[in-house]
Amino acid sequence: MKSFLQISIMVIFFIFNQFHVAAAEIQQLPLKSEAAALLDSDTGAVLYSKNANQKMYPASLTKIATAIYAIEKGQLDRIVTVSGNAVRQDGTRVYLNEGEKVPLKMLLQGMLVNSGNDAAVAIAESIDGSVPQFAENLNNYLRAKIGVTHTHFTNPSGLFDANHYTTAMDMALITNYAIKNPIFKEIFGTKVLPWKGQSWQTNIVTHHKMLRGEFLYPEVTGGKTGYTSETKQTLATTADNGKIRLTAVVLKSNLKNDKYIDTTVLLDYGFKNFQHTVIKKGEVFTTAERKEFSPENDMLITERIGGCLKNVADNGLLSILDNKGQLVQTVQLTYKEPPKPKVAAIETPKKDNQKQEEEEIILINSIVIMMVVLLAIALKLRIKGQREY
């Protein structure tokens, strides 16, 4: 009866949980962008998504991937000789001259802060020799290092190409990975940069309106804009309110300000509804099959401020759900081996000391008597043998 009651409760909980997951998925933020993703920058938890795995075109958000790949593979103080191919690039530039010699880090700054397409190609050619080879290596890097699955780039700048695509989720994962590098983070958050090139000496200013303060959001710490006529408006943004850090990506907004309004909606939603907590080392989570799992070390997780549910599967994957049953994050726990049952040693009951002494005396007396009898028999046989002789 007890087992039947437990099973019934589990079934009711499962149905209740599934109902709320479905209900939560129906709710949508009022975003005008066609695709969006909001991540916790520290834990990687997905806090909100809209068409997040739909194939989209990133425009200059591509330069985020180009930058982190170049930073990890190249030498920042290396002097790059700018090619004619780089100089002839369409779109936004930092007006490099053919044959100009520029440090790799300066090219990265010109590419990320001013979105220079000429700088992007100069970086690609310096790292891998040519744009096609750079694109191939970049795609392999993104798959192997970051784990993206729906991204394919054909150039380092983001100029439109039908085979140059990504998704909001992949772009958020790439950005989230990149900002953990201090060099990238520094450039990504640069608002104004003195530029001293052969043909252009000026202060270049980030194109990201939230970062430079034109679209007020003080918590913003970094960002990159993108636009082509085919791609429409794209935006990647990072923000920090002192309690939680967020990464937001929006793709394909029709109007320039729409991407900032959508990003504001996403960041407000993240800051208002989520917080960090820690699962302590050794804390035990038990499955329905009575298996026990726990983290090997203290583990930072994201949970909804209104409360959360934690369910662990038989493979040790812990699902953290909000109070509406919507999945926030999953973390892998370690199986806790049950302690082996101790086999009690079989002890021989101890006898009373006095009784034991009495038994020992009786045994000794028995042996003495037996020896005397044997000696008497032997003596008798010897005497008999002498008489016969």
Side-chain angles (χ1 to χ4, degrees), residues 17-38:
N17 202 29
Q18 293 302 307
F19 170 80
H20 278 287
V21 168
E25 288 172 350
I26 295 171
Q27 299 175 10
Q28 295 291 334
L29 295 177
L31 304 180
K32 295 180 181 179
S33 303
E34 286 197 13
L38 177 68

Side-chain angles (χ1 to χ4, degrees), residues 1 13 56 151 188 228 314 326:
M1 182 67 182
F13 177 79
M56 305 290 286
T151 294
F188 198 60
T228 71
D314 285 337
Q326 186 172 9

Side-chain angles (χ1 to χ4, degrees), residues 29-328:
L29 295 177
L31 304 180
K32 295 180 181 179
S33 303
E34 286 197 13
L38 177 68
L39 306 185
D40 182 316
S41 304
D42 294 302
T43 67
V46 180
L47 309 185
Y48 189 82
S49 65
K50 175 186 176 182
N51 299 327
N53 293 314
Q54 183 174 311
K55 178 180 173 181
M56 305 290 286
Y57 301 109
S60 283
L61 300 196
T62 303
K63 294 178 174 104
I64 295 172
T66 295
I68 187 59
Y69 171 63
I71 289 169
E72 290 195 355
K73 186 172 181 181
Q75 297 177 337
L76 297 178
D77 57 354
R78 176 184 174 184
I79 302 301
V80 176
T81 302
V82 179
S83 72
N85 181 43
V87 170
R88 289 188 293 271
Q89 292 300 301
D90 294 330
T92 311
R93 292 171 290 162
V94 287
Y95 303 102
L96 300 171
N97 287 337
E98 185 174 356
E100 184 175 354
K101 298 183 183 300
V102 186
L104 178 60
K105 184 175 180 179
M106 183 174 171
L107 291 173
L108 289 164
Q109 291 170 321
M111 179 184 69
L112 280 178
V113 179
N114 199 61
S115 206
N117 292 338
D118 49 357
V121 170
I123 290 167
E125 291 177 338
S126 73
I127 295 293
D128 287 318
S130 69
V131 167
Q133 188 60 57
F134 178 86
E136 181 181 343
N137 292 348
L138 176 62
N139 289 324
N140 292 335
Y141 165 86
L142 295 175
R143 285 191 292 268
K145 194 81 172 182
I146 303 177
V148 301
T149 54
H150 300 92
T151 294
H152 181 265
F153 292 150
T154 61
N155 62 69
S157 64
L159 286 175
F160 181 77
D161 183 304
N163 289 318
H164 187 100
Y165 57 83
T166 187
T167 66
M169 185 58 67
D170 276 5
M171 204 65 246
L173 291 172
I174 293 168
T175 305
N176 228 24
Y177 175 84
I179 60 172
K180 291 176 174 59
N181 181 286
I183 301 298
F184 178 92
K185 184 179 178 181
E186 171 203 331
I187 302 172
F188 198 60
T190 299
K191 299 176 182 180
V192 181
L193 177 72
W195 183 268
K196 293 183 179 181
Q198 282 185 358
S199 64
W200 201 37
Q201 297 188 13
T202 185
N203 287 329
I204 57 177
V205 181
T206 178
H207 296 181
H208 197 298
K209 288 185 176 182
M210 298 173 83
L211 183 58
R212 70 185 185 216
E214 287 185 19
F215 201 103
L216 191 61
Y217 205 103
E219 291 82 1
V220 167
T221 57
K224 181 75 191 77
T225 62
Y227 172 79
T228 71
S229 56
E230 300 90 350
T231 301
K232 304 302 181 185
Q233 300 288 338
T234 65
L235 192 69
T237 309
T238 56
D240 182 354
N241 71 349
K243 297 178 181 178
I244 190 170
R245 299 190 302 163
L246 303 176
T247 300
V249 169
V250 295
L251 300 178
K252 202 172 184 181
S253 306
N254 286 320
L255 302 177
K256 182 178 287 189
N257 277 352
D258 285 348
K259 62 186 178 185
Y260 295 110
I261 294 170
D262 284 354
T263 298
T264 298
V265 170
L266 287 169
L267 296 178
D268 284 347
Y269 173 78
F271 287 140
K272 181 180 178 182
N273 290 286
F274 296 94
Q275 64 185 1
H276 283 157
T277 190
V278 175
I279 300 176
K280 294 291 186 181
K281 176 182 177 181
E283 185 174 347
V284 176
F285 296 87
T286 306
T287 69
E289 301 297 325
R290 309 308 298 169
K291 281 183 169 181
E292 293 186 345
F293 294 88
S294 61
E296 293 185 342
N297 300 293
D298 288 356
M299 185 178 292
L300 185 71
I301 64 166
T302 308
E303 65 177 20
R304 201 174 185 94
I305 291 174
C308 69
L309 301 170
K310 298 184 181 77
N311 297 330
V312 63
D314 285 337
N315 62 357
L317 194 65
L318 180 69
S319 296
I320 298 142
L321 305 100
D322 65 19
N323 54 4
K324 296 180 180 179
Q326 186 172 9
L327 183 66
V328 175

